[in-house]
Amino acid sequence: MLKTFTTRKSLQEYLQQIKALNQTIGFVPTMGALHRGHLSLIELAQQQNNVTLCSIFVNPSQFNDPNDLEKYPRTIEADTQLLEQVNCDILFSPGVNEMYDGNEQWHLNIGETEHLLEGEFRPGHYQGVTQVVNKFFNIITPDTAYFGQKDYQQFLIISKMVTILHMPVKLVMCPIMREADGLAMSSRNIHLTAADRQHGLVLSKTLNWLGNNFDKKNIPALKKEAAQMINAEPGVELDYFEIADADTLHQANEASAGIVALVAAKVGHTRLIDNIVIS
């Protein structure tokens, strides 16, 4: 039976009972418009914890474009039904006024990773992400929190925050879930037209091509060819394609122990991101 809370106070009172029984809490933070990718995180949390808690909150502080915030899909009734179907234990869906006081200030020095890739195209985004995730971690104090690999850079940023603030929570990055045609699952996919969706497949196809043809000695040429493949697709406007060191997100080289390729592009009117871990 899904228990739903909208206030910090009521949630924390309930969680105190759970913690008194020494039960572990797995936390899946979301902005709603749930899909199978989110549900895979919840399923893993259920396997590894006594109690699973999902939050749904469209966080205004991580949007640098007011139009993007306004049109972000909000489907709380359908989301609640999905959570009930997968037997999630707790839903926390606070309002903005519950999460933020009027004149809050927040800045965490998370280093240069904040300003690379997504940070360059969405200035301030990761300050908003760390602000709200910090709030959730402090409200819930989960044992483990689960995030999708699709937001790879976000996972690095949150990991850095947890280290800086000495937060007692384990972070787990879960694999990207894809549609049958390869498109990475995203709440934003709802905005794609049929034509957009077909054009958007170039992102996953290019990442797969790179994974199949990867050669550490040939990174600049591979990066150039991948960008050309995406730029040749109608209706797709490339923001970046980077073959990066998995820890720093600087351009990878032969010395990089782990490598990830990351892409962001506007497909029609919808901005999509995707990535593949190569090594």
Side-chain angles (χ1 to χ4, degrees), residues 67-83:
N67 293 328
D68 194 21
L69 172 61
E70 186 180 337
K71 73 177 186 179
Y72 197 87
R74 292 165 172 83
T75 57
I76 188 67
E77 289 183 12
D79 292 344
T80 302
Q81 289 177 358
L82 273 178
L83 293 175

Side-chain angles (χ1 to χ4, degrees), residues 98-137:
E98 184 66 25
M99 292 298 290
Y100 289 102
D101 299 326
N103 299 310
E104 279 190 49
Q105 299 296 315
W106 169 268
H107 186 271
L108 183 67
N109 184 5
I110 41 184
E112 64 177 353
T113 311
E114 174 190 355
H115 305 292
L116 303 173
L117 303 178
E118 284 299 288
E120 181 181 345
F121 285 87
R122 304 181 68 186
H125 171 67
Y126 288 121
Q127 287 299 324
V129 168
T130 53
Q131 182 180 25
V132 78
V133 174
N134 176 62
K135 284 176 178 288
F136 278 126
F137 283 175

Side-chain angles (χ1 to χ4, degrees), residues 227-240:
Q228 288 173 343
M229 290 167 68
I230 293 169
N231 283 323
E233 183 72 26
V236 178
E237 182 183 336
L238 182 65
D239 280 351
Y240 61 79

Side-chain angles (χ1 to χ4, degrees), residues 246-267:
D247 295 324
T248 67
L249 297 187
H250 289 155
Q251 182 167 310
N253 56 46
E254 290 185 49
S256 298
I259 294 175
V260 58
L262 308 102
V263 61
K266 204 166 184 183
V267 180

